[in-house]
Amino acid sequence: MNTKPTSRIIPYIPGDGIGPEIMEVARKVIDAAVLKAYRDPNLVEWKILKAGQIAFDETGEWLPASTLEAIRRYKVSIKGPLTTPIGGGMRSLNVSLRQMLDLYVCLRPVRWIDGLPSPHRSPQGINIIIFRENTEDLYTGIEYQVGTLEHTKWMDAYKQALPEDYARLPYPKQCGIGIKPISKPNSQRIVHAAVDWAVENKRKRVTLVHKGNIMKYTEGAFLEWGYKEVENNFTSTTFTRRQFQIMVNEIGLLAAEKQKSELLAGGKIWVDDVIADVVFEQLITKPQNFDVIATTNLNGDFLSDAAAALAGGVGISPGANINPQTGTALFEANHGSAENLTGLNKANPSSLILSGEMMLRFIGWTEAADLIRAGLTETIRKKKVTFDLAEQIEGASILGTKEFADQVISFIRN
Ligand code: NAD
């Protein structure tokens, strides 16, 4: 029998829209897997936390301090999607949670499961892990709306400080402004986390994705700081494209290629970079070439949805927000609250179920995590899926949210 882990309290935020429906069944799947793996029904004690509309209706706050405190205290939690309040003063609860808890790693694995629909002709072997920076970039939400006092102040100050640059602005009085901060410490720590993970998980390639050809001092700086971080901290485990370039200049292309092959055959991880738009092209033409990706916040947001489409779409794409230093981790479905499906027992709970699998792996409950993956894989292989997948799989039977989860549980039990 598997070694039984110590019991723990796991806080959860049901979320808005389809959140409560998919959270309820995801918890059942997790419970079934834990019970099967360790034969103890009391290992997980679920603790509900308030956030989003439910919290606002009950307490007048979208994100009560007690919720943040519990996430910090219990370290590992799981959440359903939260609707962004309109006109509530808070830009996005999800962004706020990540920033307030400094969960700087947004981890988004994209792995094709046998039987999943994919627009790619041969999706076998797609297994990409995206490390998206989670705390800065345009997501700081520093923006100035045309016609406001802040906008006028900003424009006046800019005109005075840098008149030549101001003169390059198109229609200064009719031009919204957003600030894109990309810092050295935050760039270094996300790249560090990605390479660290790649080393630990014996991956072969880490690609830094950026748009540094156009945004030189933000995206370009991310790339520069990222390479430096790798070259200063991972000398024995990586070989970078920049080091290769130096080698080419010193000993010539053929000799450098030979040395590179030997280094990579010896287990070193190849660290290179690809411009963001080219990554989108290559994700479609040769997704199997990607392994681990480290990127800035906005690029990561776009890329993770595009990559998810290769392996079943957002309904089956899990995620986690992690601070590797404090060990705080908040697992979540990547999609939103899908109000159009709320209360219909139609939503695909796979994204949250797989986030649960990630969560169990994170706390070392590997046997239970393996059971969830096996149960979900078998359900999909048998073509018993929710409507979003069924419409893309020939001969599939359509199951509701609850029935789909029950099917996964029955494969876990048997
Ligand atoms: P959405 O992800 O809710 O919906 C986009 C499309 O995907 C819709 O057609 C929806 O029906 C479908 N979809 C989403 N989840 C599905 C599932 N589990 N099964 C089947 N189909 C699914 O995106 P949106 O409409 O842009 O956002 C709705 C709200 O959610 C907004 O307030 C947004 O801010 C918020 N949001 C929250 C998160 C989060 O909590 N992490 C992420 C994205 C959006």
Side-chain angles (χ1 to χ4, degrees), residues 32 47 79 136 169 211 220 320 380 408 410:
K47 180 182 171 59
K79 70 174 269 290
E136 59 178 21
L169 287 176
K211 187 68 186 164
I380 291 167
V408 176
S410 113

Side-chain angles (χ1 to χ4, degrees), residues 18 22 79-86 91-92 94 98 108 314-316 332-341 346-351 386-388:
I18 57 169
I22 57 171
K79 70 174 269 290
L82 291 167
T83 304
T84 301
I86 295 170
R91 299 176 63 86
S92 157
N94 305 296
R98 294 166 190 162
R108 294 195 163 169
V314 291
I316 187 159
E332 67 171 344
N334 281 348
H335 56 73
S337 47
E339 311 291 333
N340 56 334
L341 301 175
K346 280 180 78 175
N348 187 350
S350 301
S351 176
T386 45
F387 83 99
D388 53 321

Side-chain angles (χ1 to χ4, degrees), residues 48-69:
I48 189 164
L49 301 181
K50 292 192 180 90
Q53 193 66 51
I54 303 171
F56 187 72
D57 292 345
E58 284 183 24
T59 68
E61 284 181 274
W62 292 101
L63 196 53
S66 55
T67 294
L68 288 170
E69 184 39 42

Side-chain angles (χ1 to χ4, degrees), residues 168-189:
R168 289 164 55 204
L169 287 176
Y171 307 105
K173 289 198 165 54
Q174 301 175 59
C175 162
I177 295 286
I179 308 272
K180 180 181 170 75
I182 300 282
S183 69
K184 185 176 179 183
N186 288 346
S187 300
Q188 286 172 327
R189 66 180 184 170

